[in-house]
Amino acid sequence: MSGEPMSWEYAPAPESRDIANLKPAYRMFVDGKFVDGTGEPLKTINPATEEVLAEVATASKADIDTAVRAARRAYDKVWGRMPGAERAKYVFRIARLIQERTRELAVLESLDNGKPIKESRDVDVPTAAAHFFYHAGWADKLGHAGYGPNPRPLGVAGQVIPWNFPLLMAAWKIAPALACGNTVVLKPAETTPLTALVLAEICQQADLPAGVVNILPGAGDVGAELVNHAGVDKVAFTGSTEVGKLIQRSLAGTGKKLTLELGGKAANIVFDDAPLDQAVEGIVNGIFFNQGHVCCAGSRLLVQESVADELLAKLRYRVSTLRLGDPLDKNTDVGAINSKAQLDKIRELTESGDSEGAQKWTSPCPMPDKGFFFAPTVFSDVQQSMRIAREEIFGPVLSVLTFRTPEEAVAKANNTPYGLSAGIWTEKGSRILWTAQRMRAGVVWANTFNRFDPTAPFGGYQESGFGREGGRAGLEAYLDV
Amino acid sequence: MSDRVSVAKTYKLYIGGAFPRSESGRVYAVTDSRGGFLANAAQASRKDARDAVAAARKAFPGWSGATAYNRGQVLYRVAELLEGRREQFVREVAASEGVKHAESVVNAAIDRWVWYAGWTDKVATVLGASNPVAGPYFSFSVPEPTGVVAALAPQSSSLLGLVSVVAPVIATGNTCVVVSSQNRPLPAITLSEVLATSDVPGGVVNVLTGRTGELAPWLASHADVNALDLTGAPESIRAELERAAAGTVKRVSRAGRGGEPDWTREPGVDRLRAVLETKTVWHPMGV
């Protein structure tokens, strides 16, 4: 099993970038129209090639004010008073339009973000459509959701989303907001604004009333301005714990409702009776899915000592077979790191793993000669005090620790200020339930990892944030309850 | 018997199941509604607050791990003991709050324990879910206690308000550090005596008396506190407390903003939900 992987020749199988309908310039979406922003335009690049994809308008302070006012008008005059059954039909339309334009959105997402086309095609875009479809059905059933007979919306939601799942995060934010009767001003991430602006086009095609959804590209300053705007009633943020804390602090005393979905350092626990080959697939999915740019990534592998050597050998072999490269190639497993800044951060933390004495193993996969890429890396002999065991790397880097008893596994898993997700691998059902009960984390995957569904609430404990997205529990974030 | 000299009680803190004085040695005079001296209450310090958080953390695994049936019986037991000391609480609430309706307030406080006792084994049914995910997985979501909750009890309603704040926190398996009403702390300490002699494990509820404005910032910034209930927080420091809570991403309940609620109304599940996390568990289905 160990040693050099067998050599397989793959024929290139790239998706055509023409499918993305890439335009040279994108404008922001305010009050039902695409308009020029008065902020400094940004250039979004393809992280796999470092070439500029498009120029994108950004919002100034005045633009933010205009968008929030448009959202308020739409809320007061149209959306807030529309019967739920009618709202539902608009949201269903959006779901259908995403499904119709799936291929275009997937290619555009992979171009802008760097993620492999098989992931944008099979996960990001279909799950985004599913979120709209699921929440649409709630719009006229909110009285049955357990928040009283006639729960009211909050008003205007200011939403700021990250670059790791650009379209999917927009769906997670916009779908429940609209279903509950709120209007939205959303800021996509600076490096990945394109699919959110196609979603704006979809809102137009769905004939969504003007001002119900507004999309304002820009950097962190636009996000800060948006969440602090006096006309915003609710703030939803997905991103780093550092920025989440800043937002929570800046909203103190305003009475705005806040939900935060922040960072993580999830433990993925492998017990000695686990089916190791299956566990290896789950470990790989847990940390190398989306280049590890996942807040709930299984970035700390906790292996029972008695199977650690065997598991590590299998894991290294499997990781060495991952194909890294062109995100548009259907055979690519690991795409590009989203930005130079993120690549630098991954390198810096990886160097700290070296200098703190962990054993580094890097996949011998061939590396493209341009673009932002980082080879899958596994650190063993990791101690809990090391930075690579404590800090979120947000990249394809796995830290492996060992344990002897289930109690030790639980203690190590919970030894973090985060608490977003956890993984458990064992054949024993009672051990799964025992361990799951003890995980201080919002999502626990047993004998699987990184599963998402609009019906299943997602969100963190402790410094991984508060509030849930998905399921009945997720509606609370957008209702005045 | 009328010439008998009564035995006056020294009111102390309630931390980890014991009744210590404030480590600071400080006390403050508590008066009735007409300004007459009632007792010296302990004026808790930052260190007392930290001791209370440590006690609450220590009690958390046991209490959150107890069965819901067990927690329900323990809360019901509190109501039983409170009922037995009804007269004492009526006198104390009347003295503290200067109200004529003290009897109905105490009745409501006893009934509130009963109400929340009945919630312990129902909240997971009402707030949990089986998630019909689009794939071969069994997915379910359960509410779980968020951890250590620091609560600032209401300033006016010294017993009913206090019980309304504390009972939902412990009914759901959390442990609690509560700062009593600053000027009406005595019913809180007498309630501690009930808790200490009921089956509530030491450390599950910890009661601090003293200056709310002095203690609250330490609790709001304490890294081992998971949630902060601002019900009894003075308006002037509410925003500052929220800012401090952001340091470790605490859940903040802004109840009591703009005045104390009517505690006699049936509470609903809001206070239960405010101290619960949702945990979603997935497992594949297959043969």
Side-chain angles (χ1 to χ4, degrees):
Chain A
M1 287 300 291
S2 56
E4 285 303 302
M6 285 172 68
S7 174
W8 289 92
E9 294 300 328
Y10 281 82
E15 268 285 15
S16 162
R17 62 179 280 165
D18 295 345
I19 296 165
N21 288 331
L22 192 65
K23 294 182 287 190
Y26 287 78
R27 297 195 292 171
M28 55 187 220
F29 186 63
V30 177
D31 206 10
K33 293 183 285 293
F34 286 95
V35 296
D36 293 322
T38 52
E40 188 65 31
L42 61 83
K43 288 183 167 58
T44 189
I45 64 165
N46 178 348
T49 60
E50 301 177 50
E51 68 191 340
V52 173
L53 287 171
E55 189 172 277
V56 181
T58 74
S60 67
K61 196 173 168 177
D63 296 329
I64 295 163
D65 192 57
T66 306
V68 172
R69 284 173 197 279
R72 170 67 54 194
R73 258 194 323 275
Y75 176 74
D76 288 340
K77 296 205 157 58
V78 187
W79 199 250
R81 12 170 114 176
M82 187 182 290
E86 299 299 301
R87 276 205 317 272
K89 288 187 276 185
Y90 282 110
V91 183
F92 276 124
R93 278 186 190 172
I94 295 171
R96 280 298 199 225
L97 286 159
I98 292 173
Q99 288 174 332
E100 286 159 18
R101 298 177 67 173
T102 288
R103 209 166 158 212
E104 171 195 354
L105 283 163
V107 175
L108 186 62
E109 196 75 302
S110 283
L111 279 174
D112 202 17
N113 170 279
K115 64 175 65 202
I117 185 71
K118 71 172 183 184
E119 290 179 10
S120 50
R121 179 194 66 200
D122 297 347
V123 180
D124 294 63
V125 181
T127 314
H131 267 264
F132 280 101
F133 203 90
Y134 172 78
H135 285 96
W138 269 122
D140 56 354
K141 300 167 193 70
L142 296 171
H144 300 283
Y147 300 101
N150 184 26
R152 302 299 308 153
L154 292 156
V156 175
Q159 307 176 316
V160 177
I161 58 170
W163 47 259
N164 57 344
F165 295 92
L167 179 71
L168 182 56
M169 289 300 106
W172 279 31
K173 294 283 177 284
I174 295 174
L178 297 195
C180 292
N182 305 274
T183 56
V184 163
V185 181
L186 176 131
K187 186 197 89 69
E190 186 183 4
T191 58
T192 55
L194 300 185
T195 46
L197 292 167
V198 174
L199 182 62
E201 216 174 274
I202 284 173
C203 290
Q204 267 188 338
Q205 291 176 337
D207 208 15
L208 191 71
V212 172
V213 169
N214 304 272
I215 311 268
L216 302 182
D221 56 326
V222 176
E225 196 69 47
L226 172 60
V227 302
N228 289 309
H229 193 288
V232 165
D233 303 295
K234 191 255 153 34
V235 171
F237 171 75
T238 294
S240 71
T241 291
E242 185 191 356
V243 175
K245 288 178 179 178
L246 288 176
I247 292 175
Q248 188 179 4
R249 200 168 284 134
S250 72
L251 262 52
T254 62
K256 289 177 189 172
K257 190 161 183 168
L258 173 66
T259 42
L260 297 172
E261 205 270 87
L262 309 176
K265 192 73 191 176
N268 203 359
I269 304 172
V270 181
F271 288 101
D272 58 6
D273 69 333
L276 291 189
D277 291 329
Q278 197 186 322
V280 163
E281 292 306 310
I283 294 161
V284 167
N285 173 260
I287 187 62
F288 300 117
F289 173 63
N290 203 30
Q291 297 74 245
H293 301 330
V294 185
C295 47
C296 53
S299 52
R300 279 186 301 153
L301 180 65
L302 298 179
V303 195
Q304 199 149 16
E305 210 174 81
S306 49
V307 293
D309 289 343
E310 186 187 355
L311 182 86
L312 262 177
K314 284 174 182 280
L315 180 66
R316 286 174 183 155
Y317 172 75
R318 178 66 183 92
V319 175
S320 71
T321 65
L322 295 176
R323 296 176 61 83
L324 179 142
D326 180 8
L328 289 190
D329 193 312
K330 292 166 199 163
N331 292 322
T332 294
D333 298 303
V334 179
I337 301 302
N338 180 247
S339 66
K340 175 75 165 53
Q342 187 57 30
L343 184 60
D344 290 343
K345 190 188 155 197
I346 295 166
R347 284 183 176 144
E348 196 253 325
L349 272 160
T350 306
E351 279 158 21
S352 85
D354 279 333
S355 63
E356 290 187 309
Q359 295 300 314
K360 184 168 79 179
W361 175 90
T362 301
S363 169
C365 62
M367 299 289 285
D369 49 14
K370 59 182 176 182
F372 312 135
F373 289 91
F374 195 88
T377 296
V378 177
F379 277 106
S380 51
D381 293 338
V382 176
Q383 302 303 318
Q384 293 186 84
S385 57
M386 294 177 182
R387 287 182 66 199
I388 54 169
R390 292 184 290 120
E391 297 179 30
E392 185 175 42
I393 299 174
F394 224 64
V397 181
L398 179 66
S399 300
V400 184
L401 299 89
T402 58
F403 67 91
R404 291 184 178 177
T405 64
E407 288 77 10
E408 187 188 350
V410 168
K412 282 184 168 168
N414 288 337
N415 184 17
T416 168
Y418 294 115
L420 191 52
S421 65
I424 304 166
W425 298 85
T426 168
E427 285 287 64
K428 197 173 170 190
S430 59
R431 186 178 285 156
I432 289 172
L433 295 174
W434 182 91
T435 311
Q437 193 174 42
R438 280 158 184 75
M439 290 295 102
R440 300 287 292 158
V443 186
V444 180
W445 288 293
N447 293 331
T448 185
F449 210 93
N450 273 343
R451 300 291 147 199
F452 309 96
D453 193 278
T455 67
F458 181 94
Y461 283 39
Q462 304 187 127
E463 295 191 21
S464 288
F466 45 74
R468 291 295 178 270
E469 296 182 282
R472 193 178 60 79
L475 300 173
E476 184 186 348
Y478 291 97
L479 293 171
D480 185 16
V481 292
Chain B
M1 297 298 283
S2 58
D3 56 351
R4 181 178 174 276
V5 177
S6 63
V7 179
K9 179 166 80 182
T10 297
Y11 287 82
K12 296 189 283 187
L13 306 174
Y14 182 53
I15 298 174
F19 292 93
R21 292 184 168 85
S22 170
E23 62 80 34
S24 66
R26 300 179 305 177
V27 295
Y28 65 113
V30 178
T31 58
D32 63 23
S33 55
R34 288 189 300 276
F37 177 78
L38 288 174
N40 288 310
Q43 188 182 332
S45 65
R46 173 190 183 183
K47 178 151 193 313
D48 294 320
R50 292 166 67 173
D51 288 346
V53 172
R57 176 57 62 194
K58 196 174 165 197
F60 181 68
W63 184 243
S64 61
T67 65
Y69 179 41
N70 180 233
R71 281 203 303 271
Q73 291 181 86
V74 170
L75 263 70
Y76 185 78
R77 178 84 178 141
V78 175
E80 288 178 345
L81 296 196
L82 209 51
E83 184 80 40
R85 295 169 68 160
R86 213 169 140 273
E87 305 302 321
Q88 180 192 7
F89 277 99
V90 170
R91 278 199 308 279
E92 213 159 61
V93 170
S96 274
E97 301 183 12
V99 289
K100 294 209 168 55
H101 61 278
E103 196 161 344
S104 71
V105 169
V106 174
N107 290 345
I110 298 169
D111 293 352
R112 187 124 313 157
W113 281 109
V114 174
W115 197 77
Y116 277 116
W119 264 116
T120 59
D121 53 3
K122 290 157 198 78
V123 72
T125 314
V126 171
L127 299 184
S130 163
N131 309 312
V133 297
Y137 296 91
F138 176 49
S139 173
F140 61 95
S141 295
V142 285
E144 288 198 343
T146 193
V148 173
V149 179
L152 308 176
Q155 298 298 338
S156 297
S157 183
S158 60
L159 180 68
L160 177 57
L162 173 81
V163 169
S164 302
V165 164
V166 170
V169 169
I170 67 168
T172 39
N174 296 280
T175 57
C176 182
V177 175
V178 62
V179 180
S180 77
S181 163
Q182 177 170 314
N183 295 328
R184 300 170 173 180
L186 304 188
I189 293 303
T190 305
L191 180 69
S192 306
E193 296 164 7
V194 169
L195 297 172
T197 52
S198 69
D199 298 323
V200 180
V204 169
V205 178
N206 304 276
V207 180
L208 302 174
T209 56
R211 308 282 181 234
T212 307
E214 179 193 348
L215 296 168
W218 298 120
L219 293 170
S221 62
H222 196 300
D224 215 15
V225 169
N226 298 97
L228 179 68
D229 174 359
L230 294 176
T231 301
E235 283 301 328
S236 59
I237 61 166
R238 290 176 79 94
E240 174 202 328
L241 294 176
E242 278 196 58
R243 269 192 293 278
T248 52
V249 198
K250 291 182 182 66
R251 291 82 179 104
V252 178
S253 161
R254 296 153 170 165
R257 193 166 185 248
E260 254 183 71
D262 175 7
W263 297 109
T264 61
R265 296 181 56 177
E266 188 183 281
V269 297
D270 292 5
R271 283 185 171 273
L272 296 167
R273 213 171 46 217
V275 290
L276 288 169
E277 304 290 337
T278 297
K279 177 188 279 177
T280 297
V281 181
W282 292 65
H283 196 276
M285 293 191 288
V287 289

